[in-house]
């Protein structure tokens, strides 16, 4: 029987979450430096932060590998 180290599996899932989050942030990071677009960009960045904070909580609460796989599929 194969046993999965859930702590390591969660670390891998968090790493993927961070990479996807960074890619989603990239265009807004640039726009945040443009004074006329900074307010709107920060609002969008906050939406992204909230979305990924929720996903982070789901990863931390995952009790099995299938849950982590499901989360990774949504990223």
């Amino acid at each position: 029987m194969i046993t999965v180290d859930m702590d390591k599996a969660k670390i891998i899932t968090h790493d993927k979450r961070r990479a996807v989050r960074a890619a989603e942030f990239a265009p807004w990071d640039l726009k945040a430096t443009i004074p006329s677009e900074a307010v709107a960009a920060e609002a969008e960045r906050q939406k992204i932060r909230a979305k990924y904070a929720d996903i982070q909580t789901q990863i931390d609460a995952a009790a099995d590998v299938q849950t982590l796989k499901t989360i990774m599929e949504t990223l």
Side-chain angles (χ1 to χ4, degrees), residues 8-66:
K8 288 183 181 179
K10 287 180 182 183
I11 289 169
I12 292 167
T13 308
H14 278 302
D15 288 344
K16 180 173 180 182
R17 173 190 54 83
R18 286 183 195 101
V20 172
R21 180 181 183 257
E24 201 169 325
F25 255 101
W28 299 111
D29 288 342
L30 178 62
K31 289 186 179 197
T33 64
I34 303 168
S36 63
E37 298 184 31
V39 173
E42 188 54 38
E44 291 301 318
R45 287 162 39 114
Q46 186 54 42
K47 289 178 190 174
I48 295 168
R49 283 186 199 101
K51 172 184 169 183
Y52 287 99
D54 186 45
I55 293 171
Q56 181 174 345
T57 301
Q58 292 174 23
I59 293 168
D60 290 338
D64 55 57
V65 174
Q66 187 55 46

